[in-house]
Amino acid sequence: MEQKRSSFTGKLGFILAAAGSAVGLGNLWRFPYLAAKYGGGIFLLVYLVLAVTFGFALMIAEIAIGRKTGLSAIGAFKALDKRFSFLGYVAAIVPIIILPYYSVIGGWVTKYLFTFATGGGSDAAADGYFGGFIGKVGEPILWFAIFIGATAVVVLLGVEKGVEKVSKIMMPILVVLTIGIAIYTLTLPNALDGLVYYVKPDFSKFSGTTVLAAMGQLFYSMSLAMGIMITYGSYMKKDVHIESSTRQIEIFDTGIAFFAGLMIIPAIFSFYHGDEVLIGENLTKGPGLMFVMLPKVFDSMPGGDIIGALFFILVLFAALTSSISLMETIVSIFMDKLKVGRKVACLIVLGISVVIGLPSSLGFGVFSFIEPLGAGTSILDFFDFITNNVIMPVVAFITCILVGYVIKPKAIIEEVETNGKFSGKKLFTVVIKYIAPVCIVAILIFSVMEALGFIKV
Ligand code: PHE
């Protein structure tokens, strides 16, 4: 790279920036609905096991690759081994697909912020409100446009630093509020049934799809397998310890996801107590879960409109720091590869995102007859699925092969050990060389067979 790379100041700077990218809708919106859908406790358990093995090893590998080469994904893979250049391009496809639908959800968050701030909290709590909203044509598109527009303005003006500063204040408030709401939810009548569902693994619900869903969520939530952590690593100074930073980001990211689940899943069991059908329906609701359950929680508490508005503004910031990191990644690739300036690159990315995002937004209304993954699924589910459950596992697999067998784990270990011990290096080596690649392939094959009906669970 010709220009000198700016670097994060110190360890805290790196952790905050990486956490800003990692913590977002993945934790607050996606994790709870997947945990609800895939059996509660068993999903949580599988997720935690994967986080301390796959997540740990892959995040260390990506950050170390970035710092070692000083390049972002496309250049970094090429620098490590010419034959792996393609991997950077495959990884780059992921944010291009994610950003548009991420912004559709970001639009929903913005809409809910507006609703609560204007005193409409109890309307939002009514059954059918969310379905009515996303089923419209114009309104969801308007909020989607506002969200992606705001993201583009920040990236275009290069004022990410300003947003980061604000989010440094917002993030801790978000954590406190999420924990507070979770505790409140648990005090609702019959919520403890939901707690049991959420934390007690039911091994009869274990299946290949559960593991695949948990693995996809892990990559998504920690911004792995799409080259983003490589870029962040390239900005990291040599005196920052990669292993301890990784652990801290992981604990932070997983902690927020856990509490997000705690504030939503027990609410299902409380509000629909006694009606197994409705409980089941909500557990498998998918992308709308947070938007259906949280307004009910807020509506049941005193001052719910204010708390709801505060909550959604914090979620909005968390979502923006993530969407900015997604867009920034794509813009910098386009600037490099197409040799265009920031403004042109921004406009191209904005255009592509609108084109890909529109069908996702319309998929709950006029396009709801399109059910790419089977009855009840939407276009948004489809984009979400091919990135998280197909492309990202493939990128992760090839990264393991590259690190485990081509450049060898030693290269990463040396990079981590430039300052201090790498206490998990045995675990790292075993996971990267054997466990992760074998499991990823097994999970992929297993879940494809499950999807095609060869295996019954
Ligand atoms: N990790 C983010 C989240 O949990 C999503 C994201 C993925 C952001 C990739 C940036 C890059 O919401």
Side-chain angles (χ1 to χ4, degrees):
M1 229 157 252
E2 350 31 270
Q3 78 260 53
K4 202 174 153 281
R5 293 186 92 79
S6 58
S7 41
F8 295 123
T9 38
K11 183 175 175 189
L12 192 64
F14 172 76
I15 291 182
L16 285 173
S21 166
V23 176
L25 296 175
N27 310 63
L28 298 152
W29 155 76
R30 202 169 186 276
F31 184 85
Y33 91 70
L34 288 180
K37 187 168 163 187
Y38 291 103
I42 188 70
F43 180 87
L44 188 62
L45 179 67
V46 171
Y47 185 86
L48 292 177
V49 170
L50 290 178
V52 295
T53 51
F54 285 32
F56 171 74
L58 212 65
M59 186 168 237
I60 289 204
E62 290 200 11
I63 296 174
I65 287 175
R67 191 170 74 177
K68 190 177 160 64
T69 58
L71 300 168
S72 6
I74 292 184
F77 286 124
K78 190 170 165 200
L80 292 178
D81 189 305
K82 279 235 160 15
R83 289 167 299 171
F84 283 78
S85 300
F86 73 96
L87 191 54
Y89 292 97
V90 181
I93 299 172
V94 175
I96 297 178
I97 302 177
I98 291 186
L99 176 65
Y101 83 77
Y102 200 88
S103 302
V104 171
I105 316 281
W108 298 351
V109 170
T110 319
K111 150 83 181 178
Y112 272 62
L113 164 61
F114 180 79
T115 306
F116 276 85
T118 51
S122 51
D123 296 340
D127 281 329
Y129 179 87
F130 177 71
F133 160 63
I134 55 168
K136 289 185 197 155
V137 174
E139 212 197 332
I141 292 180
L142 174 73
W143 294 109
F144 158 59
I146 292 175
F147 185 88
I148 188 110
T151 305
V153 168
V154 172
V155 174
L156 183 63
L157 300 179
V159 290
E160 289 93 334
K161 288 274 166 326
V163 177
E164 260 167 40
K165 269 205 194 109
V166 183
S167 81
K168 268 175 209 165
I169 307 162
M170 305 283 240
M171 204 78 106
I173 310 178
L174 177 64
V175 175
V176 174
L177 194 65
T178 304
I179 298 177
I181 299 170
I183 294 173
Y184 171 81
T185 299
L186 287 178
T187 66
L188 291 171
N190 304 305
L192 295 183
D193 295 352
L195 177 66
V196 172
Y197 178 81
Y198 184 43
V199 299
K200 193 170 160 226
D202 172 354
F203 288 93
S204 71
K205 296 207 171 105
F206 182 85
S207 77
T209 349
T210 310
V211 186
L212 181 65
M215 185 170 74
Q217 170 62 17
L218 175 71
F219 296 157
Y220 185 93
S221 186
M222 305 224 310
S223 306
L224 294 173
M226 54 183 102
I228 289 192
M229 284 299 156
I230 297 183
T231 308
Y232 277 60
S234 73
Y235 297 139
M236 189 196 228
K237 289 215 176 111
K238 286 281 181 198
D239 59 359
V240 178
H241 196 244
I242 297 180
E243 185 182 25
S244 64
S245 311
T246 297
R247 284 209 198 283
Q248 279 160 21
I249 297 166
E250 212 171 23
I251 292 171
F252 191 60
D253 189 71
T254 309
I256 296 191
F258 175 74
F259 283 106
L262 212 49
M263 83 188 163
I264 293 172
I265 294 176
I268 304 175
F269 287 78
S270 174
F271 289 112
Y272 299 112
H273 177 67
D275 191 334
E276 293 301 321
V277 176
L278 274 180
I279 290 184
E281 234 169 58
N282 279 280
L283 285 176
T284 51
K285 190 159 220 87
L289 184 63
M290 163 179 145
F291 298 92
V292 170
M293 292 320 297
L294 279 183
K296 289 190 194 295
V297 173
F298 294 136
D299 196 41
S300 73
M301 56 168 79
D305 273 349
I306 297 170
I307 296 183
L310 178 62
F311 178 77
F312 279 110
I313 196 163
L314 298 167
V315 177
L316 180 61
F317 262 88
L320 274 173
T321 51
S322 296
S323 64
I324 290 165
S325 105
L326 284 164
M327 190 181 268
E328 179 66 49
T329 307
I330 315 169
V331 165
S332 58
I333 292 173
F334 281 22
M335 283 165 65
D336 272 6
K337 295 289 149 193
L338 305 178
K339 307 264 174 281
V340 291
R342 177 168 277 268
K343 212 188 235 163
V344 177
C346 268
L347 287 175
I348 300 176
V349 176
L350 184 63
I352 295 177
S353 303
V354 170
V355 169
I356 308 183
L358 277 180
S360 288
S361 182
L362 293 169
F364 298 93
V366 288
F367 285 169
S368 62
F369 64 92
I370 304 175
E371 299 179 321
L373 303 172
T377 61
S378 65
I379 300 175
L380 190 148
D381 288 313
F382 173 73
F383 285 125
D384 193 63
F385 181 86
I386 45 165
T387 42
N388 290 281
N389 293 13
V390 184
I391 309 178
M392 283 147 80
V394 170
V395 171
F397 172 77
I398 305 175
T399 308
C400 289
I401 301 300
L402 171 67
V403 173
Y405 299 93
V406 181
I407 64 166
K408 302 276 154 60
K410 207 164 150 266
I412 301 292
I413 293 170
E414 274 168 14
E415 183 62 39
V416 178
E417 283 181 338
T418 45
N419 45 28
K421 260 182 70 190
F422 181 0
S423 54
K425 72 177 165 197
K426 284 227 173 65
L427 174 73
F428 170 80
T429 311
V430 176
V431 171
I432 277 284
K433 278 187 88 156
Y434 310 107
I435 303 181
V438 171
C439 290
I440 293 173
V441 170
I443 295 164
L444 277 175
I445 294 177
F446 196 77
S447 62
V448 168
M449 297 199 5
E450 227 171 51
L452 297 177
F454 291 131
I455 306 175
K456 279 267 164 294
V457 226

